[in-house]
Amino acid sequence: MQETSAIPGRVALLSIGDELVLGRIEDTNASWLARELQAIGAMPGERRTVGDDRGEIARTMRELATNHRAIVMTGGLGPTLDDLTRESLGDVVDPGAQLLTDPAGAEHLRGWFEKRGRPMPQSNLRQAMRPPSARLLDNPEGTAPGLAAHIGACAVFCLPGPPNEMRPMFARAVAPVLREEGRAVLTAALHTIGLGESVLAEQLGELMQRGREPSVGTTASNGIVTIRIRSSGPSAEARVALAATVAECTARVGSIIYGRDGEALAAAVGRLLSDRGLSLATAESCTGGLLGALVTEVAGSSAWFQGGFVTYANERKVNDLGVRSATIERFGAVSAETAIEMARGCLTATGADIAISTTGIAGPGGASETKPVGTVFVAIAMRDGATYARRFQFPGDRATIRSRTAHLALACARFALLGEPERRLLWSESEVVRVERA
């Protein structure tokens, strides 16, 4: 096969299938392949998804071949008539020619069924067919051989859709060809909580300029904004450049960075608690247990999480947490006063060192003129008597409001542990934090 590592350019990913286009299944193959390409020093380029349409698949292959050194395709290699990857590839690399039945491929198929004591349907012989100028890629894990060919200088690899077949085939037949020895594509993800994406971008400044190497960008979800850094080039240089950019981003942004790469916010809070020998408990109303769920998703959280209460009804706030009925009657269940008493009551009931409480209006009903949907109060109570409460006004639907509440409540706890309870937070109605002592 023609060596492709010397050909400049990126690697395109092309996913085939109506079910992908229609959103019936998630395209996990493309995400996996993009990560694997970076791991071997190859830069992913475009990602396309095309339905089971022979002409559209062929047209897309031709387009991608003009500005990529390779195309890695998945799907469309099954035995049925709607599996059209072979025919589409043939239309591009051997226009007008008939597909050939590959003898070795046919033998593999017969042997695969014989080993399992099953008769082979004639339709499966389609999987042994290939364009004349293409070759089959072995598939010990299944019945669908892959295909390899060239569109001019662009290498094309067609892999089966099932991940348990696609992944070994990529590692065995594609990665060695596309690997760029001595080069690396390295990434880092710095997760932040508390600032909006535009404010964070202002702090990062020229680091986010287009064309900069390493590149710096941001993505946002539920109040968490992730700084994504990508460094490519000779391995040693890429590593040094990545570390330098991570350090510069950290210096500009500071303590709103809570973790890197796969670390969740709850895990970062747990790390702070473990380092200080402290424990946490939760008292939830509007989040309905979501906060506790985020905490217990962290492996080993039993070492620092005492447990929690879901006191959705006012009666439960009074009976389980000791919230005074007079407090609810005077200020309402959704108030700083109620949130504070919930957090303090949680400390008393659990013996934890820090408690988080949430109470709010997630909607769509229950709002008033002074407390619209999205009004949420979060309180943090510490064993030393310090208590912090804050009002938020979250945008979004019910699910979004509950999710944002849980994440920002963890942020409140984190900044309290860091000694920064008055830290500016996204969606907080006031940057002034109410501070009380029991």
Side-chain angles (χ1 to χ4, degrees):
M1 171 173 287
Q2 178 179 341
E3 180 60 45
T4 64
S5 60
I7 301 171
R10 300 187 176 193
V11 179
L13 299 175
L14 176 56
S15 304
I16 307 299
D18 288 344
E19 66 280 6
L20 296 173
V21 173
L22 296 174
R24 292 173 183 164
I25 64 173
E26 295 294 325
D27 188 2
T28 56
N29 281 350
S31 297
W32 184 87
L33 285 167
R35 293 191 295 270
E36 290 299 304
L37 287 170
Q38 293 174 73
I40 63 173
M43 180 66 75
E46 287 188 60
R47 285 173 55 168
R48 300 252 198 121
T49 305
V50 176
D52 297 310
D53 182 293
R54 180 171 172 173
E56 184 68 12
I57 296 170
R59 183 187 65 78
T60 304
M61 280 193 282
R62 291 189 188 97
E63 286 183 4
L64 293 174
T66 62
N67 56 2
H68 292 85
R69 70 184 181 97
I71 303 170
V72 180
M73 300 173 57
T74 57
L77 294 176
T80 60
L81 293 178
D82 63 344
D83 290 304
L84 299 170
T85 294
R86 302 174 196 84
E87 288 82 357
S88 301
L89 179 64
D91 292 342
V92 177
V93 300
D94 297 307
Q98 295 292 316
L99 297 182
L100 305 177
T101 298
D102 188 277
E107 185 62 27
H108 162 74
L109 285 166
R110 294 188 185 96
W112 194 92
F113 280 95
E114 286 175 6
K115 286 179 181 179
R116 288 155 181 80
R118 295 160 49 190
M120 184 186 75
Q122 280 299 111
S123 61
N124 276 94
L125 279 176
R126 276 176 48 78
Q127 295 179 294
M129 300 179 76
R130 60 174 176 80
S133 66
R135 66 182 179 87
L136 295 188
L137 301 176
D138 293 338
N139 182 8
E141 289 76 25
T143 63
L147 290 165
H150 277 83
I151 304 173
C154 178
V156 182
F157 300 93
C158 305
L159 310 182
N164 64 313
E165 299 178 34
M166 181 274 292
R167 295 181 181 187
M169 189 179 293
F170 175 84
R172 185 172 53 247
V174 182
V177 178
L178 298 185
R179 184 183 303 277
E180 296 201 34
E181 297 295 344
R183 290 185 61 83
V185 181
L186 306 177
T187 62
L190 306 179
H191 306 300
T192 76
I193 187 78
L195 291 184
E197 195 169 11
S198 59
V199 177
L200 183 62
E202 289 179 359
Q203 294 189 1
L204 293 172
E206 78 284 356
L207 295 177
M208 293 187 66
Q209 284 182 350
R210 296 288 294 177
R212 183 186 183 276
E213 179 62 40
S215 65
V216 178
T218 59
T219 55
S221 176
N222 289 323
I224 293 172
V225 181
T226 299
I227 304 169
R228 301 196 179 277
I229 306 167
R230 187 187 68 218
S231 179
S232 59
S235 299
E237 295 177 16
R239 206 166 283 113
V240 171
L242 181 73
T245 301
V246 167
E248 181 62 25
C249 289
T250 302
R252 295 191 185 195
V253 173
S255 63
I256 68 164
I257 296 176
Y258 67 78
R260 178 170 172 173
D261 298 329
E263 185 173 32
L265 177 56
V269 173
R271 177 162 41 83
L272 289 175
L273 291 164
S274 295
D275 290 346
R276 292 161 171 75
L278 302 176
S279 62
L280 173 71
T282 56
E284 303 181 63
S285 184
C286 63
T287 46
L290 182 58
L291 179 55
L294 290 178
V295 169
T296 54
E297 282 178 4
V298 180
S301 57
S302 59
W304 44 267
F305 182 54
Q306 292 284 352
F309 295 86
V310 178
T311 55
Y312 214 63
N314 289 344
E315 181 182 2
R316 296 268 57 86
K317 294 178 178 66
V318 173
N319 293 339
D320 297 347
L321 297 173
V323 176
R324 293 171 293 179
S325 297
T327 300
I328 297 177
E329 290 171 5
R330 181 180 178 186
F331 300 104
V334 179
S335 64
E337 290 77 9
T338 296
I340 286 170
E341 292 191 17
M342 287 173 65
R344 287 175 173 166
C346 185
L347 279 189
T348 300
T350 62
D353 298 295
I354 178 172
I356 310 172
S357 70
T358 63
T359 180
I361 304 168
S368 67
E369 186 175 339
T370 57
K371 296 176 183 177
V373 170
T375 301
V376 172
F377 290 88
V378 172
I380 306 296
M382 312 285 283
R383 179 56 57 188
D384 65 4
T387 306
Y388 313 102
R390 192 188 296 248
R391 174 173 174 156
F392 292 90
Q393 188 62 52
F394 293 111
D397 59 14
R398 181 179 178 83
T400 301
I401 290 168
R402 294 175 71 244
S403 180
R404 287 171 172 170
T405 298
H407 284 90
L408 269 294
L410 284 170
C412 288
R414 178 175 175 270
F415 286 120
L417 288 165
L418 291 174
E420 303 177 40
E422 297 187 27
R423 181 79 194 205
R424 178 183 180 186
L425 290 176
L426 186 65
W427 297 308
S428 178
E429 284 211 317
S430 172
E431 299 309 326
V432 178
V433 177
R434 177 175 180 157
V435 181
E436 297 186 357
R437 290 190 177 271

